[in-house]
Structure formats: C-alpha cells, structure tokens
Amino acid sequence: MTRFTVAIDGPAAAGKGTISKAVAAHFGFAHLDTGLLYRAVGAKVLAGGDPVQAAKALTPKDLEGDLRTPEVAQAASRVAVLPDVRAALVTFQRDFAVRDGGAVLDGRDIGTVICPDAQAKLFVTASAEVRAERRYLELADKGLDVTREDVLADVIERDKRDSDRAEAPLKPADDAITIDTSEMSIDQAVAKAVAVIEACR
Ligand code: C5P
C-alpha cells in the first residue's frame, strides 16, 4: 500500500481545513485536523482539567462535540505552548501520517516537527483581515454572537502566541510551498493545492 503524507500548515482561519478536506477527498487520503487535538485539550482545561493529563488521556471521542468556538480556540493556543502537551500528542499524529493509503494533516507544525519527511508540504496563508472576515462569517452563520473586531483580535492574538512560542512555533518548513489565498476562491485554492501535491507524487 502507498504511504504519502501531505503536511498543511498556516495561521488561523487561512483555509487549511477546507483545502485539507478537499485534497484528501481528491486523492482518497485520510484527513486529520490537528487543531482539534489542541482544542479538545483546551476545552478540558476550560472545564477545570489539567492540560498535560488531558493531553495524555485524549481519546477520539474527545474530538467530537463543538470545539469550534473562539473561547476554545484561545484555550487551545494557550495549552499549545506547553511542551509536555505537545509531546503527548506526537505519537497519535505520526501514526496517522504513515497510515496506508495516504494522509493529509493540517496544523501549525506538521511540516516542521511532526512530519519533517512529508512528501508534500504546503503553507496556506492569507492576510489577517481576510482570515478574520472568513472566520467571522463562519461563526455568525453558526449563530454565534461575535463581532468582526473581536474575531480579528482573536486571530491576531492567536497567531502571535503561536508564532512566538519556543516549542514548534508556527512557521513554514524550509521546503514548503506557500499558497496565499487572500485573493483566491475556494476552488482556486484547492486547485492550486492539488497541483502542488501532484507535482510531489
Ligand atoms: O487550527 P486551529 O485553529 O483549530 O488550532 C487551534 C490552536 O491549536 C492554534 O491556535 C494553535 O495554538 C494550536 N495548534 C498547534 N499545533 C497544531 C495545530 C493547532 O499548536 N499542529
């Protein structure tokens, strides 16, 4: 069976999730949104848990439920600075990456730390304003009571924390191809990602 790993990193709300799902469907690969792991740990901490214990005890069931709120996102980025939390999540991600049939993982450190040998590495980005607008529409559509200003502030704060941390900071791998989706439609961004991955096959 084939093993092929696609690493997709980038800042908050850049379109990684949408692109990852689409390319996974296109190539028939499995997809792991690694942000959900940190969100699940963040949610447990908001409920009074210890971050390292929560990360060690994480089960697939913990990834269900509504983890896509700004509050959980902030909690995720706070626990994500802790080296012991990150270490507890490595094996699950690496095992997923080398599964038979191919895998797409999206996050912040997939191409740099989790899967430095990934066959294809993408860094998906967009301007903070474009990312905040997309996330605002997504959250408002779900009925959440958010403002554009709050969403932009949340995105900027998380990117800063994710980029400035000592352990596995948000940054493109040296051999990643950057896709700036600021002025692209979803279809254009997906087509570009598919073309980049095809070229690595
Ligand atoms: O991707 P998402 O916005 O769901 O990620 C939530 C938070 O989890 C990020 O802001 C980041 O702090 C953390 N994260 C990480 N490493 C990953 C994925 C997510 O540190 N691979």
Side-chain angles (χ1 to χ4, degrees), residues 9-10 12-13 16 33-36 38-39 68 72-73 76-78 80-81 86 93 106-110 114 135 158-159 162 165 168:
D9 292 305
K16 301 185 301 289
D33 170 358
T34 66
L36 278 184
Y38 294 90
R39 284 175 184 255
R68 300 195 182 280
V72 171
S77 107
R78 288 195 297 271
V81 305
R86 306 198 69 84
Q93 295 175 82
D106 73 280
R108 303 292 186 290
D109 62 339
I110 308 303
I114 301 296
R135 182 54 52 90
R158 265 200 303 142
D159 288 348
D162 292 348
R165 69 184 176 218

Side-chain angles (χ1 to χ4, degrees), residues 9-102:
D9 292 305
K16 301 185 301 289
T18 307
I19 293 173
S20 299
K21 277 195 207 95
V23 299
H26 178 91
F27 290 103
F29 295 166
H31 170 226
L32 178 65
D33 170 358
T34 66
L36 278 184
L37 305 175
Y38 294 90
R39 284 175 184 255
V41 175
K44 294 214 174 221
V45 170
L46 288 177
D50 171 77
V52 178
Q53 289 314 317
K56 286 184 176 162
L58 212 63
T59 70
K61 205 166 175 347
D62 296 319
L63 308 184
E64 294 163 13
D66 195 14
L67 299 171
R68 300 195 182 280
T69 66
E71 197 190 15
V72 171
Q74 283 290 346
S77 107
R78 288 195 297 271
V79 300
V81 305
L82 303 171
D84 288 350
V85 165
R86 306 198 69 84
L89 302 175
V90 167
T91 304
F92 178 76
Q93 295 175 82
R94 289 197 178 138
D95 286 350
F96 191 97
V98 297
R99 61 171 48 207
D100 283 339

